[in-house]
Amino acid sequence: RLPASSTRRGEAARLVLFNTGAITVVIAMTRAGWGAVGFGAALTAAAVGWHAVVLLTRRRRSLPSRFGVTVRFYVAAAALLPFGVGLGVVMAPDDLNEAVHARIALAHVGINLLGWMGLTVVGTLVTLWPTMLHTRVANGAERAARRALPVLLAGLLLLAGGALVGSRVVAVAGTVGYLGGLTAAARPLGREARRRPPTTYATWSVLAGSAWLGASVIALAVIVASATGWEQAAERADQLAAPLLVGFAAQTLLGALSYLLPVVLGGGPTVARATTAVLDTAARPRILIINVGLAAAVLPLPAAARTALAVAVLGTLVMFLALAVRAVILARSPRRSKVRSAT
């Protein structure tokens, strides 16, 4: 609830800084350049810290908003990432003790995936989810989000802190606490879904992504509690990479983009319906292939079967890019321009 900014230079500078740092880290990790890893991580952390300061400054200047709690989620996520990045730098050297490396890795993954990504998604869905379902926000949704945020943060701090000090009891308690925060934030979203069930690829994809997040957090708690040591816990937790990165992150992102792209392309109701229909192509088969493939991939299947499933899941995810290109061409074609002028 602020006037539109006259320039996007600050946002562009933060994007360039962030991506320069990320690319530097990736290149340095492949070439074992520890100093370059630290430099890239510093650039990334600086960009995110700058982003958090801008959000806080703008929030203090803005008018009161019913859903201002969403910004708190973004600031909290941005504040966590520099710590996660720092842990990544610490565990970069090859000569680190295996048990210490395992503990730092779990803390790093918890802060980056459950904190930086998880908090951002949970905060966004407070308003985006009912908008995607074309229904009103459930009563008490903003209050539930406000109460869930400190619980989520406390859970993350216990998870990371427990891993760093070597206490699996504390780490498990933090994971369970984080799950409790997710449950509290999800209750209004569940009521909205019961009122207006998902029917499109966008809504089913976001719902599936949220389910994978909850399932992965439960699995992480079980893994840490049942492991014989930190090395085994970290090794088993590696199996959650696909559920978290593909099941949760990729599906949530593609679902949100499938809803937002027609909005950004514009062109009026007729064009929006046409582009939405393109992005909704083969919605149910795509959802089934991705989620059944991911579920089967965690089973002890032969290597050939796992490879085939991975190719099927990846191909279905990439299908979104082709559909997005079709939607853009459709929205920008001369024929659609005539439709827009007629409407």
Side-chain angles (χ1 to χ4, degrees), residues 185-316:
R187 284 173 182 165
L189 309 184
R191 293 199 298 271
E192 293 156 1
R194 287 193 295 271
R195 185 190 309 135
R196 191 73 178 265
T199 57
T200 63
Y201 175 81
T203 51
W204 275 113
S205 187
V206 170
L207 179 61
S210 301
W212 278 108
L213 174 61
S216 297
V217 173
I218 294 172
L220 180 61
V222 173
I223 286 170
V224 176
S226 62
T228 57
W230 288 105
E231 296 96 327
Q232 187 184 68
E235 183 180 353
R236 292 179 178 176
D238 283 344
Q239 299 175 4
L240 299 178
L244 281 171
L245 294 176
V246 179
F248 164 54
Q251 283 203 106
T252 302
L253 176 63
L254 295 187
L257 289 176
S258 295
Y259 172 77
L260 293 171
L261 186 57
V263 177
V264 173
L265 291 174
T270 302
V271 175
R273 284 193 295 270
T275 51
T276 298
V278 169
L279 293 169
D280 212 33
T281 301
R284 291 184 181 180
R286 288 160 64 196
I287 292 294
L288 284 174
I289 291 172
I290 293 172
N291 290 282
V292 173
L294 280 173
V298 301
L299 298 176
L301 299 174
R306 294 170 66 88
T307 301
L309 288 171
V311 170
V313 171
L314 181 61
T316 306

Side-chain angles (χ1 to χ4, degrees), residues 1-179:
R1 303 189 64 184
L2 282 172
S5 175
S6 59
T7 177
R8 297 286 188 181
R9 290 179 181 175
E11 295 173 7
R14 291 195 292 277
L15 281 171
V16 170
L17 187 63
F18 182 92
N19 285 283
T20 300
I23 292 170
T24 302
V25 169
V26 171
I27 295 175
M29 289 294 290
T30 59
R31 298 187 178 182
W34 188 84
V37 170
F39 176 72
L43 293 181
T44 303
V48 175
W50 180 8
H51 178 62
V53 170
V54 170
L55 287 176
L56 282 173
T57 303
R58 291 176 64 84
R59 186 176 185 277
R60 289 171 180 170
R61 290 167 42 207
S62 66
L63 296 173
S65 172
R66 177 186 174 189
F67 296 105
V69 65
T70 295
V71 182
R72 297 182 188 177
F73 275 85
Y74 297 157
V75 171
L80 285 171
L81 186 62
F83 294 99
V85 169
L87 291 174
V89 174
V90 171
M91 68 179 187
D94 296 330
D95 57 352
L96 200 63
N97 177 274
E98 289 188 8
V100 174
H101 184 279
R103 285 158 43 196
I104 296 175
L106 283 172
H108 169 73
V109 169
I111 290 177
N112 283 4
L113 289 180
L114 303 183
W116 166 246
M117 291 172 53
L119 292 183
T120 301
V121 169
V122 172
T124 301
L125 290 182
V126 174
T127 53
L128 181 61
W129 179 243
T131 304
M132 294 175 69
L133 293 174
H134 300 291
T135 188
R136 61 182 176 83
V137 179
N139 293 331
E142 67 277 15
R143 184 171 60 254
R146 193 178 301 112
R147 291 175 177 175
L149 179 57
V151 177
L152 290 166
L153 285 173
L156 284 169
L157 293 177
L158 286 175
L159 167 60
L164 292 176
V165 302
S167 174
R168 286 195 288 134
V169 173
V170 174
V172 171
T175 309
V176 173
Y178 184 89
L179 182 63

